[in-house]
Amino acid sequence: IKMEKSDKDKLYVILFLVMLFLLDMCVVGGVLLHGKANFPELIKHLRENQVGKTAFILAGGNAHFAGIGQREYNSRLTYTYKFLPFTLTQVYAGRTAQSFGNMDMVTTDASACASSLKVLMDVEVLMKHYDFDRVIVLTVEDGVSNAVLEFFGQSQAVLTAKDEAETGAKPSAFDSKNGGFYVGQGAALAVFEKARLVDRFNRTPKARLVGAYNASENSTNAIGQCEDGEGFSKAIGGACFHSKTLRHDIGIVKTHGTGTDSNNKAEKAAILGSGLRDFVATSYKAKIGHTMGASGLLETLLLLDDIKAGFVPAIENRTESDSVFLSDSVKPPKGYILSLAAGMGNIYSAAIFEGL
């Protein structure tokens, strides 16, 4: 993914790994260096090709991992990772960052469902204003536990077996009959580099990151949403304004798309009221489950793959014909990609991409 302020400030994401876990289904996809889905080879390449200034960002829902019990594995020092009842995310981040070579900065973010998209504003700031040449973003999240399921069940956001049996409801978004989501788990890795490094290492970038922006809305409910979509609207407006992107140049919207009544109203109001023209919108949560910290970036990478394959996917389980909030897959229209995410705590994020 590259982002552009001037020719010398272009940034690229050139590698990524996507891993999804939904119930008992495991889907592994992605495009890595030289087309090899080989995580050790990626780490080896980055270690052997150090650049000027490198940052590592761990973005997670609320990760509680710490490495304990040093042990040898394939002649390398490693650790046993334990789930802890308190947060030591920065320890996990520091040890993981070492795998990629020398780091000039390590930082973390735990903004729930918005985290992985939210940190793209940090990527912009580091690379445009603080002379970082490469930023590695790894997004992970907590394991799905009964406590997580209970929380979403009590909020009536997650679908249950009882819902399916009694109403026949299926996960979807922006639909009058189906809605909600199952909880999923996922992880995504993205490497952002400036244009000179892309040329130096003969990269084939996935996309250009045009701009990103985070916002909050005027609300006293930290886990609720304003029905007029104020938070989404401010994030969209900020991303467009600061990247000097014309709104009618956006052709595809990757929605947050949880399918809850509150998000359906808020996000749809914001998108339709943001001055976009001739666009299509999709959502991945009905298909892969609602990953937490990983969702925004992970879903964006999946969309880039789908666009390369020649389509923008329909929103799963739509019951009404809709050519905007897609009930059927379509060929990718021209224009930029707008990716949206929302996180508990009144956090809204928007990022604009250009597929390459």
Side-chain angles (χ1 to χ4, degrees), residues 57-60 107-111 114-126 135 137-139 192 209 212 214 297 349:
I57 302 176
L58 178 70
T107 186
T108 63
D109 184 276
S111 303
S115 193
S116 65
L117 206 65
K118 175 177 174 285
V119 299
L120 298 189
M121 191 173 179
D122 300 331
V123 172
E124 280 203 296
V125 170
L126 289 170
V135 179
V137 177
L138 173 64
T139 175
F192 294 76
L209 175 59
N214 303 315
L297 183 57
S349 299

Side-chain angles (χ1 to χ4, degrees), residues 12-30:
Y12 298 79
V13 171
I14 40 81
L15 322 158
F16 74 85
L17 171 69
V18 176
M19 299 180 68
L20 303 177
F21 299 90
L22 176 60
L23 302 179
D24 60 348
M25 178 181 72
C26 178
V27 182
V28 181

Side-chain angles (χ1 to χ4, degrees), residues 113-229:
C113 315
S115 193
S116 65
L117 206 65
K118 175 177 174 285
V119 299
L120 298 189
M121 191 173 179
D122 300 331
V123 172
E124 280 203 296
V125 170
L126 289 170
M127 300 187 79
K128 287 185 177 180
H129 301 294
Y130 289 93
D131 299 322
F132 278 79
D133 299 293
R134 174 186 289 159
V135 179
I136 300 167
V137 177
L138 173 64
T139 175
V140 298
E141 55 203 349
D142 292 347
V144 174
S145 64
N146 286 334
V148 172
L149 296 175
E150 183 179 359
F151 171 81
F152 283 111
Q154 290 176 345
S155 66
Q156 297 182 333
V158 65
L159 284 175
T160 65
K162 182 179 179 182
D163 295 328
E164 287 189 295
E166 293 182 353
T167 68
K170 297 180 180 179
S172 190
F174 311 108
D175 193 79
S176 62
K177 179 181 177 181
N178 289 328
F181 56 84
Y182 298 122
V183 174
Q185 285 184 268
L189 171 68
V191 179
F192 294 76
E193 290 187 346
K194 288 185 175 178
R196 64 179 181 81
L197 296 181
V198 173
D199 296 336
R200 174 182 167 186
F201 297 118
N202 194 28
R203 309 289 199 204
T204 303
K206 296 291 295 182
R208 180 169 71 96
L209 175 59
V210 180
Y213 194 79
N214 303 315
S216 296
E217 58 190 9
N218 185 21
S219 173
T220 58
N221 186 346
I223 62 171
Q225 294 174 288
C226 293
E227 288 192 2
D228 63 1

Side-chain angles (χ1 to χ4, degrees), residues 23 28 69 76 78 98-99 125 140 171 215 227 243 260-261 342 349:
L23 302 179
V28 181
R76 290 184 59 199
T78 185
Q98 294 171 13
S99 300
V125 170
V140 298
E227 288 192 2
S243 66
T260 62
D261 289 342
S349 299

